[in-house]
Amino acid sequence: MFGTKSNKIYDTRKGRLFIQKISPFLLSFVTFFSCLMSKWLCIENCGACCNLDPRDRPDLADYLSKSELDLYLSMVGEDGWCINYNKESRKCQIYENRPRFCRVKPDIFQEMYEIPLEEFEEFAIDCCHQQIEGVYGEESEEINNYRTQVT
């Protein structure tokens, strides 16, 4: 996938400059087109979304029902991580039966956050990017894997 920066286009997979100079019109077209092509993916061996610390999510009651909020809070371990997240395997132990608020799907995001279906991909990508950086850091292996696979 290609990324843009100033009036240059980079090959983000190789970290190399792809085109040195580009017209502003073509740059906006490439940026628009690359956004359309980006598709949200769950990246294996990440688990950033399983860091459930409620202090990082003060607006939980705005989009979770009372029963969902109770369930959410019951899933938070002492260290802020979900009690169903296996830190060794970096996998959710209840993935197939995980609650609605753990599912990243267009219809759920529309219902919970009022995100229009056509904006789902961009919104989900941004959410994951912020969460991964917040949990692991801006230069972590996890965020680099995410950037490589998603953007």
Side-chain angles (χ1 to χ4, degrees):
M1 178 58 80
F2 296 104
T4 59
K5 195 175 199 179
S6 180
N7 65 341
K8 302 172 184 174
I9 297 179
Y10 291 86
D11 181 340
T12 56
R13 291 170 295 186
K14 298 178 183 165
R16 294 190 303 210
L17 186 62
F18 183 69
I19 297 176
Q20 179 67 32
K21 296 216 177 204
I22 187 168
S23 74
F25 172 75
L26 186 55
L27 180 63
S28 64
F29 176 76
V30 169
T31 302
F32 174 75
F33 186 69
S34 67
C35 288
L36 289 178
M37 290 177 43
S38 295
K39 187 162 178 65
W40 176 84
L41 295 170
C42 181
I43 306 302
E44 284 193 38
N45 295 313
C46 176
C49 60
C50 298
N51 186 290
L52 303 179
D53 194 331
R55 293 173 296 188
D56 297 335
R57 298 177 173 147
D59 57 346
L60 286 170
D62 293 345
Y63 53 86
L64 296 180
S65 69
K66 171 73 171 119
S67 61
E68 286 177 322
L69 181 58
D70 291 343
L71 177 59
Y72 182 98
L73 295 174
S74 75
M75 293 170 61
V76 181
E78 289 183 21
D79 59 357
W81 286 87
C82 179
I83 59 173
N84 298 299
Y85 179 66
N86 183 317
K87 292 178 188 167
E88 289 180 29
S89 69
R90 299 186 92 172
K91 294 191 184 285
C92 175
Q93 297 175 63
I94 62 165
Y95 188 81
E96 292 302 320
N97 299 310
R98 68 197 185 282
R100 175 182 82 118
F101 54 79
C102 292
R103 297 174 184 268
V104 182
K105 295 185 175 186
D107 58 329
I108 292 173
F109 271 46
Q110 185 176 36
E111 185 180 318
M112 288 181 67
Y113 310 113
E114 300 178 358
I115 302 301
L117 295 175
E118 64 273 7
E119 295 176 19
F120 166 76
E121 299 292 341
E122 183 179 357
F123 184 82
I125 289 169
D126 288 345
C127 284
C128 285
H129 191 270
Q130 290 175 16
Q131 182 69 8
I132 294 167
E133 276 192 354
V135 172
Y136 297 117
E138 293 180 16
E139 299 301 322
S140 65
E141 180 180 340
E142 292 83 1
I143 196 63
N144 289 331
N145 287 341
Y146 185 77
R147 289 178 182 142
T148 301
Q149 295 182 45
V150 175
T151 56

